[in-house]
Structure formats: structure tokens, C-alpha cells
């Protein structure tokens, strides 16, 4: 009853609504630490005099924005709360220590030097007592710090969390006081006023957030899941197949196996949302639908990582790109990696099946602002520009799909494969996290153990019992970041588990297009997210990078954008809606590892840096050719150039200085932040157990009946948006699982 009434109010799901915090803070920082933090927030987002505004007769919203301060309640406390919840432990500790030091006079002298000295007793000022101008200089010094790099890292953390809160927080009317000034608005839902139709998936969903120990058993039993034992601390459940994860891999696998006649239970640690639930609000949408609320990085803070965490996984929040696996990649995997599957008609047929099921279209009736910029720039330079196939209709003009498609147009797994699975009797259990796989020990001369299921815990406070799910087949489909930790913590030891992690590293550039000086209409947050791309090809006809538009809400834009001064940042944000951001993506040779949740290590190969350098320069040329009056990179010093009237020689000199630099922990003069929305290869498929973590059927070498069906099985990076590749691979693996089940290969001993 609760979930229905919550969804009838017309403002989206309660978890996605935003609004003022209800209740107290639990970040644990002292009042003196919060005072120091507030001073930092004020320095990053300072109150400025009205003469700072360059416009004549500026509107009141612009006045308010320039006068606004990052120290205003509740920004510092909210930033501290978000840091405590989402930050890595060592990052939280670093911030806590630095804030404690800055709350004392001697500590401030140690970290700020002579800038904290005054002419009056006590002569040494605490950080919060230093003038705003001097505090700004301190932050600039920290940003450029080469030897005491923890201060540079502290600066980067503060910048990310402060700006994200400032531009994403909303009041109870779902408004942010800065949005009008920067030209931003949340998409309205006028098209969705008609009563929502019944979703086919609803009948198969059991949401633990609305259940307790007794009702959960009833809900599962009503949907045909056999509860074989209900004890005090554990509930034993039996099914044919249990699938951990509901994204591109898990959704496809569930549909194939359920349609083959098997009772399938899908576990999803995130929550379930329907189109009418989505609010398009950046803060709560990322918090509820992304891993770690969309604020997750490698251990060294070099790469910001975005991965879906909701029913539908990444397919619910991705940018709709539906690109088939390139033939060159299939040849490499089938020949070099000795995996015939990728060179077979079986794979090509599966790819066509996937393409058809998710409703891929190859045309776009109207492009958004950023895609228009990319296309116009390429055409003016005589460069090839490709239209991107999408799993949506041709007239899909939704700028908020990264927060869930409010139109219900994008065909993620929650709208396609999971509908098929539920239609065949599958059940989806949300708010449940797999803790440990269950194995039966070797006997009767067997070479390997048998996986017999998984232990699961609910995130709901009202469901106190653990669930022990027993199944003939167990499928891990929780993605490249979570499948390896689950397998390793359960006792598997193959050396490839958690290794070979590819991230498709991305670096971004921006270009500003004043509406009065550009023939390109629209705003950066409007229109389909990805409809065009450009491939940067070497003289040897090798793709070095691909250039695509990005989708950054104002909070993410501000958090990642370089900060060089408070005034510069406010001027940049005022231009936000007409700033086009493009990225260069490399098919990475470098690789990382993830063996424990959120402990991600990654190192770029020199070839990756060179490819990204070439891609960045091409992206900048495209922006200039499209008519940008100013372009720049995301390097920490705000590297940029004004284009109007500038000579070609000056542009080339600027481009010569564009490189793929290091992260905040590097020793260089400047640093940058990389991003990743594609994670692959951390349980890669191999011809032998010396070459991969799973075999060509997706089955682990060490445990019979345990399969992996997600992006982690891909042998290497794909080089393009991987949704179709992951779904096709999962389709092939699940078809083989169905055949094995039919032959009764996984009967319990």
C-alpha cells in the first residue's frame, strides 16, 4: 500500500524528490572543523560585489547568485555529510585531519604560511579568520602543491563535495536558488500527466524497503518462489537460477533462462523506479541510481567512476548508445584470445536479437545543443561524423536520461528483458545485496567445487533475516566493479579475478557559445544525450580515440570543472547552459584491479595518454570550428583560449600545450580528473584458466554452476559504448546455460 500511495503524489518517488533534510547530521565533524570547512566553502564560492557582474542591468537572480556564499547553511554540513557517506576512508581521514589543523592558529601557520599573519595580537590567525582574498590565495597554493600532494588532494576533495552540494541541493519546492542565474531548469513532466499505465514488471517485483520478515516470505511465496525453511535468523529459499544483478548482463540472462522454463530469482541491491517516479533532480537521482551516489573514484582520486545501481543497472541511466561490437574487436577476441564465440555466427545472430529486442533506431529527428556542436564542427572541418544508434525512438529528445528516462522511451533492461523475464515467472528482489556465495566441497573425485547458491542481506531495517538462496545455477551479473570482490570474498582464487580492469578513460574539453553569436539553438542539458560521434583516426587508419558529447548536470559540471578563483567559477557557471562539453575516450591498453569493493587501482598506459592527447586536441578543434568564442580543458589551472580574432598560430600553440596529465596525487605542476562510465574485463573470459577467470561459457574454472554474465567477462576494452556487446555476450552465455540445465548438468549431488 505504501509504495502505491507514495507514487500517486505526482512529484516522483520519495527517494528521488530532494528537499530539505529531515533530521540531524551524523557526519561527526566538530563545530571547529565545520567552521574551517565553511570558510573553505566560502572561498570556493565567495559572495561577490555586484560590480563583479559584467552584464548591464543584470536580473535579480544573477544578483542573488553573485552574492551567494558557499558558507551559507546547510552547504558545509551537507558537504560533510556527503563526504562521510561517500568518501573513501583515507579521504575522510585526510579531510578531518586538515580541518582540525586549520581550526588552530599554529596549524594554520603550518599549512598556510605567512598568509595567516596579522598586525595585531595574537598575530597568527586561524583559517576562518583570514581575509577572503588571502584564503583564496591559500587554496590556489594548495591546488598547485607539488610536494605536499595531500594538500592538493584535500583541495580536490573539498572542491568536488562543496560544488556538488551547492548546485544540486533543492528546497521543498524542488528548486535551487542558483539555477535561474546559470540558465538551468529541471525538465517538466507535462507530457506525463495522463494516468500511468500498469507496468508489466510490477507483478514480479518484491521491494524489501516495503517488507518485513513475515511479509517478505509471503510476497515471495505468492510469486512462486519456494521458501523451504523459515528460521529465526535465516530464511532458506529455493529456485532453479539465482542472478545477482539486473543490468545489461543480468537482465538478458534472466529473460533467456526464464523463457526456457526455469524459475529465476533476480537480486538487485538498488531500488526499482518507473518513469513516473523519476524526478530528473541531479542530487537524489545520482544518490539512488549510481554506485556510491555517483561520487566514486580510484584510490588515488585520478578517475571518477560512474556505474548504475538500480533495477536495470547501467541501462537505466546510460546515454542510450547502442553500438554493435566492431568487427576488428571480434577478430581480436576470437583469434588473439582464442575465443571462437566472438568469431561465430552465434554471436552475430545474438547481436541482431539484442538489437531488435531493445528497439534500436538509427536516426534522430532533432539533435540537442551539444550534438549539434559536434556535428557542425566536424562538418566545417571536413571530418566524418557518425550518427549513433540508440535504444529509443527517433524523436527521443530527453536530456535527463542519465537520471532515468521520464518518458519511458529508452529501452533499458527494466523495460525489455526484465519484462520478458517477469512474464515468464521470474521474480526480482530489490534492496538485497549478495554477501557470500555458497559452495559444496569437492567429493567423488571432482576437480572443482559446486556452487549451490548465495547468502543475501537486505538493506531494509525491517528485514532482519539473512536469505540463503539455493539454486542449481548461480549467475554473478553485478558488474566489473562488484563481481570480482564477491567471487574473491567467497573463496575463489583465480589470479585473473579482479585484474585486467579496463575503464575507457575519458578527458573532457569545453567550448562557450553565446546565444547571441551562435546559430546553434538550445541548452547543454536539453535533447538526446548521445546522437553523434567522431572517430579520431591515425595515418595508419587506427582509431586512436572517439569524441562524443557528455551529459553533465550543473553540480557535476561545477565539481569537475577547474577552479582558479571564486569570480572565475561564478562567471563560468553563468555560462553553463551554453557551454558544450565534449570528451575524448580511449580504448585503454592500461588496466587496473578491483579485489575489494570501492578499492579501485588503475594505471594508464603511455599509449593511452597519447591517444587521449590526440583526441583532446581534435575535440578542441571541433569546438572552435563550430563557433565557440572560448575553449578550454579541465586542467587544474583553467587552461583556455579566447577564439574570436585569434590567429591560427596562437591556436596551434595553445593546442601544443594540451596533454593528458596526471591526477591530484601526481607531481606535475598541473593535474586533471579523468572519468569512466564503462568498466570491463575484471573477470575476463579466457581459453584456459591461465588466461582468464571464466571459460568461454562464462563458467568459473574453480566452481561448477557459477557463471559470470556482465561486462567483467569481456577479454579487453571494446573501444566504444559497450551496452550491445555486454548484452550480446550475456545472451550467448545464458543460451549455453539453458542447454546445460536441459541436460541436467547442475543437479545437486
Amino acid at each position: 500500500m505504501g509504495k502505491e500511495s507514495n507514487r500517486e503524489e505526482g512529484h516522483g518517488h520519495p527517494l528521488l524528490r530532494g528537499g530539505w533534510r529531515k533530521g540531524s547530521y551524523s557526519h561527526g565533524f566538530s563545530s571547529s572543523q565545520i567552521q574551517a570547512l565553511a570558510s573553505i566553502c566560502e572561498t570556493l564560492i565567495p559572495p561577490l560585489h555586484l560590480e563583479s557582474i559584467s552584464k548591464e542591468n543584470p536580473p535579480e537572480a544573477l544578483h542573488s547568485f553573485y552574492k551567494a556564499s558557499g558558507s551559507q547553511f546547510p552547504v558545509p554540513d551537507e558537504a560533510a555529510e556527503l563526504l562521510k557517506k561517500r568518501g573513501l576512508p583515507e579521504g575522510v581521514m585526510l579531510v578531518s585531519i586538515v580541518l582540525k589543523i586549520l581550526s588552530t592558529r599554529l596549524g594554520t601557520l603550518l599549512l598556510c604560511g605567512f598568509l595567516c599573519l596579522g598586525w595585531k595580537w595574537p598575530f597568527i590567525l586561524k583559517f576562518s579568520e583570514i581575509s577572503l582574498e588571502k584564503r583564496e590565495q591559500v587554496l590556489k597554493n594548495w591546488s598547485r602543491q607539488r610536494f605536499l600532494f595531500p594538500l592538493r588532494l584535500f583541495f580536490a576533495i573539498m572542491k568536488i563535495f562543496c560544488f556538488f552540494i551547492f548546485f544540486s541541493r533543492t528546497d521543498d519546492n524542488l528548486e535551487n536558488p542558483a539555477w535561474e542565474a546559470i540558465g538551468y531548469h529541471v525538465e517538466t513532466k507535462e507530457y506525463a500527466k495522463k494516468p500511468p499505465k500498469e507496468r508489466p514488471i510490477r507483478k514480479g517485483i518484491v521491494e524489501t524497503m516495503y517488507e518485513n520478515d513475515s511479509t517478505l516470505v509471503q510476497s515471495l511465496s505468492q510469486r512462486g518462489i519456494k521458501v523451504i525453511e523459515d528460521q529465526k535468523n535465516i530464511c532458506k529459499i529455493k529456485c532453479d537460477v539465482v542472478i545477482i544483478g539486473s543490468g545489461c548482463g543480468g537482465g538478458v540472462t534472466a529473460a533467456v533462462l526464464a523463457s526456457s522454463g526455469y524459475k529465476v530469482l533476480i537480486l538487485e541491491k538498488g531500488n526499482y523506479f518507473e518513469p513516473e517516479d523519476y524526478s530528473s533532480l541531479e542530487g537524489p537521482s545520482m544518490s539512488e541510481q549510481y554506485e556510491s551516489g555517483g561520487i566514486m573514484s580510484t584510490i588515488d582520486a585520478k578517475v571518477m567512476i560512474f556505474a548504475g545501481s538500480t533495477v536495470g543497472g547501467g541501462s537505466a541511466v546510460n546515454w542510450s548508445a547502442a553500438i554493435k561490437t566492431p568487427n576488428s574487436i571480434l577478430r581480436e577476441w576470437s583469434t588473439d584470445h582464442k575465443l571462437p564465440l566472438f568469431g561465430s555466427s552465434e554471436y552475430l545472430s545474438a547481436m541482431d536479437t539484442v538489437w531488435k529486442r531493445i528497439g534500436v533506431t538509427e536516426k534522430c529527428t532533432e539533435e540537442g545543443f551539444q550534438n549539434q556542436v559536434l556535428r557542425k564542427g566536424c562538418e566545417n572541418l571536413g571530418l566524418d561524423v557518425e550518427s549513433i544508434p540508440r535504444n529509443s525512438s527517433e524523436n527521443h529528445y530527453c536530456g535527463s536520461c542519465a537520471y532515468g528516462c521520464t518518458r519511458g522511451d529508452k529501452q533499458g533492461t527494466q523495460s525489455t528483458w526484465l519484462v520478458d523475464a517477469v512474464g515468464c515467472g521470474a521474480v526480482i528482489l530489490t534492496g538485497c545485496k549478495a554477501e557470500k556465495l555458497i559452495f559444496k566441497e569437492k567429493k567423488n573425485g571432482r576437480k572443482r567445487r559446486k556452487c549451490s547458491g548465495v547468502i543475501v542481506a537486505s538493506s531494509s531495517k525491517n528485514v532482519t533475516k539473512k536469505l540463503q538462496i539455493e539454486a542449481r545455477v548461480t549467475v554473478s551479473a553485478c558488474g566489473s566493479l562488484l563481481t570480482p570482490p564477491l567471487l574473491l570474498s567467497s573463496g575463489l582464487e583465480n589470479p585473473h579475478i579482479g585484474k585486467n580492469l579496463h575503464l575507457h578513460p575519458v578527458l573532457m574539453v569545453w567550448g562557450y557559445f553565446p546565444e547571441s553569436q551562435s546559430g546553434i539553438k538550445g541548452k547543454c542539458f536539453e535533447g538526446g544525450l548521445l546522437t553523434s560521434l567522431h572517430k579520431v583516426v591515425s595515418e595508419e587508419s587506427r582509431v586512436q580515440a572517439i569524441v562524443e558529447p557528455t551529459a553533465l548536470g550543473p553540480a557535476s559540471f561545477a565539481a569537475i570543472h577547474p577552479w582558479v578563483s571564486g569570480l572565475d567559477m561564478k562567471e563560468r557557471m553563468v555560462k553553463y547552459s551554453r557551454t558544450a562539453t565534449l570528451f575524448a575516450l580511449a580504448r585503454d591498453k592500461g588496466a587496473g584491479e578491483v579485489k575489494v569493493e570501492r578499492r579501485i587501482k588503475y594505471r594508464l598506459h603511455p599509449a593511452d595518454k597519447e591517444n587521449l592527447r590526440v583526441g583532446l586536441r581534435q575535440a578542441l578543434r571541433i569546438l572552435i570550428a563550430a563557433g565557440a568564442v572560448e575553449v578550454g580543458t579541465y586542467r587544474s589551472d583553467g587552461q583556455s583560449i579566447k577564439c574570436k580574432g585569434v590567429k591560427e598560430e596562437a591556436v596551434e600553440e595553445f593546442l601544443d600545450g594540451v596533454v593528458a596529465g596526471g591526477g591530484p596525487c601526481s607531481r606535475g605542476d598541473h593535474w586533471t580528473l579523468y572519468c569512466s562510465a564503462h568498466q570491463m574485463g575484471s573477470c575476463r573470459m579466457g581459453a584456459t584458466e591461465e588466461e582468464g577467470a571464466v571459460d568461454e561459457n562464462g563458467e568459473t574454472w574453480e566452481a561448477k554452476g557459477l557463471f559470470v554474465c556482465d561486462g567483467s567477462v569481456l577479454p579487453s576494452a571494446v573501444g566504444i559504448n559497450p551496452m550491445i556487446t555486454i548484452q550480446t555476450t550475456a545472451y550467448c552465455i545464458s543460451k549455453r546455460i539453458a542447454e546445460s540445465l536441459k541436460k541436467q548438468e547442475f543437479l545437486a549431488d
Side-chain angles (χ1 to χ4, degrees):
M1 295 295 293
K3 56 188 171 185
E4 297 299 333
S5 59
N6 278 334
R7 284 172 171 149
E8 286 172 0
E9 295 179 21
H11 300 293
H13 194 284
L15 294 174
L16 303 179
R17 286 181 201 161
W20 295 118
R21 172 179 295 276
K22 308 296 190 294
S24 59
Y25 292 100
S26 58
H27 50 63
F29 289 103
S30 67
S31 59
S32 60
Q33 286 175 309
I34 291 296
Q35 184 181 39
L37 175 56
S39 298
I40 291 171
C41 292
E42 182 183 48
T43 311
L44 291 167
I45 308 171
L48 298 172
H49 298 298
L50 297 184
E51 52 264 28
S52 302
I53 305 176
S54 56
K55 289 185 178 181
E56 293 184 11
N57 301 316
E60 180 58 34
L62 205 57
H63 272 218
S64 299
F65 176 58
Y66 272 78
K67 288 190 292 184
S69 168
S71 64
Q72 293 169 340
F73 181 82
V75 175
D77 279 294
E78 289 289 344
E81 194 79 6
L82 186 62
L83 171 66
K84 188 74 172 182
K85 183 178 181 181
R86 303 299 189 187
L88 291 172
E90 52 265 60
V92 176
M93 182 179 293
L94 172 65
V95 169
S96 180
I97 291 171
V98 174
L99 290 178
K100 197 166 188 178
I101 292 172
L102 292 176
S103 65
T104 67
R105 300 186 192 282
L106 289 178
T108 303
L109 177 62
L110 176 67
L111 298 185
C112 304
F114 69 87
L115 288 169
C116 71
L117 299 179
W119 293 104
K120 296 180 180 179
W121 177 262
F123 303 116
I124 301 174
L125 305 175
K126 292 188 294 185
F127 186 81
S128 59
E129 298 169 343
I130 303 174
S131 70
L132 181 58
E133 292 75 20
K134 288 186 177 181
R135 273 185 274 138
E136 183 170 272
Q137 186 58 52
V138 169
L139 263 59
K140 291 178 182 179
N141 293 343
W142 290 349
S143 177
R144 295 191 294 262
Q145 184 61 250
R146 294 178 59 190
F147 301 106
L148 291 175
F149 70 85
L151 285 178
R152 178 189 280 186
L153 182 58
F154 171 80
F155 167 81
I157 293 171
M158 287 291 89
K159 181 176 78 75
I160 289 170
F161 283 90
C162 175
F163 280 116
F164 191 86
I165 288 295
F166 187 85
F167 287 102
S168 68
R169 69 185 178 95
T170 58
D171 57 25
D172 287 337
N173 294 320
L174 309 185
E175 291 291 337
N176 179 295
W179 286 352
E180 185 179 350
I182 66 175
Y184 178 72
H185 63 266
V186 172
E187 188 176 49
T188 58
K189 290 191 174 185
E190 293 179 2
Y191 52 84
K193 284 184 177 177
K194 57 184 179 181
K197 61 182 180 180
E198 176 67 20
R199 300 287 292 172
I201 197 175
R202 179 77 67 84
K203 64 182 181 181
I205 288 275
V206 177
E207 299 176 88
T208 60
M209 65 185 294
Y210 302 115
E211 305 284 353
N212 56 42
D213 286 330
S214 60
T215 62
L216 178 60
V217 171
Q218 295 172 12
S219 296
L220 290 171
S221 298
Q222 288 169 1
R223 289 165 176 80
I225 295 295
K226 189 176 181 182
V227 179
I228 57 176
E229 192 174 344
D230 188 6
Q231 300 176 350
K232 182 178 181 181
N233 297 319
I234 197 162
C235 178
K236 292 185 179 181
I237 297 169
K238 195 167 186 177
C239 59
D240 293 319
V241 181
V242 60
I243 300 171
I244 308 161
S246 63
C248 288
V252 172
T253 304
V256 170
L257 294 178
S259 64
S260 298
Y262 301 104
K263 193 62 182 180
V264 175
L265 177 62
I266 304 128
L267 306 176
E268 172 55 57
K269 70 183 181 68
N271 292 307
Y272 170 56
F273 303 110
E274 299 175 354
E276 57 267 28
D277 293 334
Y278 297 128
S279 66
S280 298
L281 293 171
E282 184 178 8
S285 296
M286 292 189 72
S287 179
E288 289 298 325
Q289 297 182 89
Y290 285 78
E291 286 294 335
S292 193
I295 302 179
M296 179 168 58
S297 74
T298 51
I299 291 176
D300 62 0
K302 185 176 185 176
V303 187
M304 298 296 295
I305 297 173
F306 302 92
S309 182
T310 182
V311 172
S315 72
V317 293
N318 70 12
W319 301 353
S320 304
I323 305 173
K324 289 187 175 182
T325 317
N327 290 330
S328 59
I329 302 298
L330 293 177
R331 284 194 299 270
E332 177 187 317
W333 290 351
S334 62
T335 304
D336 298 349
H337 290 267
K338 305 181 187 68
L339 297 167
L341 167 65
F342 296 104
S344 66
S345 58
E346 175 190 358
Y347 186 90
L348 295 178
S349 175
M351 193 152 53
D352 290 338
T353 300
V354 166
W355 184 272
K356 183 178 179 180
R357 180 60 189 96
I358 63 175
V360 177
T361 58
E362 299 185 71
K363 295 180 181 179
C364 175
T365 56
E366 182 183 7
E367 288 195 305
F369 168 68
Q370 297 192 121
N371 286 277
Q372 290 180 62
V373 166
L374 175 59
R375 189 173 295 276
K376 181 178 179 180
C378 287
E379 290 174 349
N380 288 346
L381 290 171
L383 301 173
D384 290 334
V385 58
E386 300 179 17
S387 295
I388 298 178
R390 299 181 295 164
N391 59 329
S392 60
S393 64
E394 293 182 357
N395 61 354
H396 184 220
Y397 194 80
C398 174
S400 59
C401 267
Y403 313 132
C405 184
T406 56
R407 292 167 168 81
D409 192 333
K410 182 172 68 175
Q411 299 297 292
T413 63
Q414 78 280 11
S415 303
T416 53
W417 299 105
L418 290 175
V419 172
D420 298 344
V422 168
C424 294
V427 176
I428 304 168
L429 189 60
T430 69
C432 280
K433 189 175 190 304
E435 290 191 335
K436 193 172 184 180
L437 299 167
I438 307 168
F439 298 104
K440 292 184 177 179
E441 292 304 316
K442 303 175 185 178
K443 62 180 181 179
N444 300 329
R446 287 198 315 237
K447 293 183 178 180
R448 53 180 178 164
R449 294 177 289 176
K450 167 75 170 65
C451 183
S452 59
V454 62
I455 301 290
V456 176
S458 170
S459 58
S460 171
K461 294 179 182 178
N462 295 322
V463 179
T464 61
K465 294 180 181 180
K466 296 285 181 74
L467 303 180
Q468 182 174 316
I469 301 167
E470 298 179 1
R472 293 166 63 187
V473 164
T474 302
V475 178
S476 181
C478 38
S480 293
L481 302 179
L482 295 177
T483 282
L486 176 62
L487 268 55
L488 290 169
S489 64
S490 300
L492 270 62
E493 298 176 346
N494 184 287
H496 292 282
I497 300 174
K499 293 286 190 69
N500 316 302
L501 174 66
H502 294 280
L503 296 180
H504 276 176
V506 157
L507 283 177
M508 294 180 286
V509 295
W510 57 269
Y512 175 52
F513 296 79
E515 200 156 12
S516 60
Q517 301 177 35
S518 172
I520 302 175
K521 302 299 182 183
K523 296 185 177 182
C524 67
F525 52 87
E526 296 174 339
L529 302 183
L530 271 185
T531 57
S532 58
L533 70 79
H534 166 66
K535 292 178 180 175
V536 184
V537 181
S538 68
E539 293 180 358
E540 298 80 25
S541 299
R542 179 177 60 85
V543 177
Q544 292 183 274
I546 61 173
V547 176
E548 295 178 345
T550 189
L552 292 175
S556 300
F557 178 89
I560 298 173
H561 204 281
W563 181 92
V564 295
S565 74
L567 175 60
D568 177 79
M569 175 52 75
K570 287 199 171 180
E571 289 178 340
R572 292 285 171 216
M573 289 307 299
V574 168
K575 300 173 182 176
Y576 161 74
S577 67
R578 292 289 296 178
T579 298
T581 304
L582 305 181
F583 66 75
L585 178 153
R587 184 189 177 216
D588 45 334
K589 288 187 176 180
E593 69 174 48
V594 54
K595 296 188 175 184
V596 178
E597 284 189 32
R598 297 190 64 203
R599 309 299 296 176
I600 304 164
K601 300 177 183 178
Y602 183 77
R603 183 179 292 273
L604 285 162
H605 189 278
D608 302 331
K609 290 188 175 183
E610 173 59 19
N611 289 336
L612 285 170
R613 181 189 70 86
V614 173
L616 283 177
R617 295 182 184 190
Q618 188 80 311
L620 286 163
R621 288 190 179 96
I622 291 168
L623 289 169
I624 294 170
V629 299
E630 186 179 9
V631 298
T633 70
Y634 278 65
R635 202 173 75 177
S636 58
D637 63 336
Q639 182 184 36
S640 64
I641 184 173
K642 295 189 185 302
C643 309
K644 192 172 182 180
V646 71
K647 294 183 178 179
E648 183 66 25
E649 294 81 5
V651 172
E652 289 303 316
E653 183 179 349
F654 170 74
L655 294 176
D656 286 342
V658 174
V659 297
C665 293
S666 65
R667 303 288 185 177
D669 290 330
H670 310 298
W671 51 276
T672 191
L673 290 175
Y674 292 73
C675 293
S676 165
H678 308 152
Q679 300 88 40
M680 304 145 284
S682 54
C683 279
R684 73 179 179 191
M685 191 180 288
T688 67
E689 58 186 309
E690 287 75 29
E691 298 172 283
V694 299
D695 63 18
E696 195 180 37
N697 298 321
E699 191 172 20
T700 60
W701 297 102
E702 299 169 78
K704 189 174 182 179
L706 174 59
F707 293 81
V708 178
C709 280
D710 56 32
S712 69
V713 303
L714 303 184
S716 66
V718 190
I720 45 88
N721 305 65
M723 177 173 66
I724 294 294
T725 301
I726 295 171
Q727 292 198 16
T728 303
T729 303
Y731 188 89
C732 293
I733 291 174
S734 54
K735 280 290 187 181
R736 294 182 177 190
I737 295 173
E739 282 298 312
S740 297
L741 281 166
K742 187 177 180 181
K743 297 175 183 176
Q744 299 189 342
E745 291 184 8
F746 305 113
L747 289 177
D749 291 335

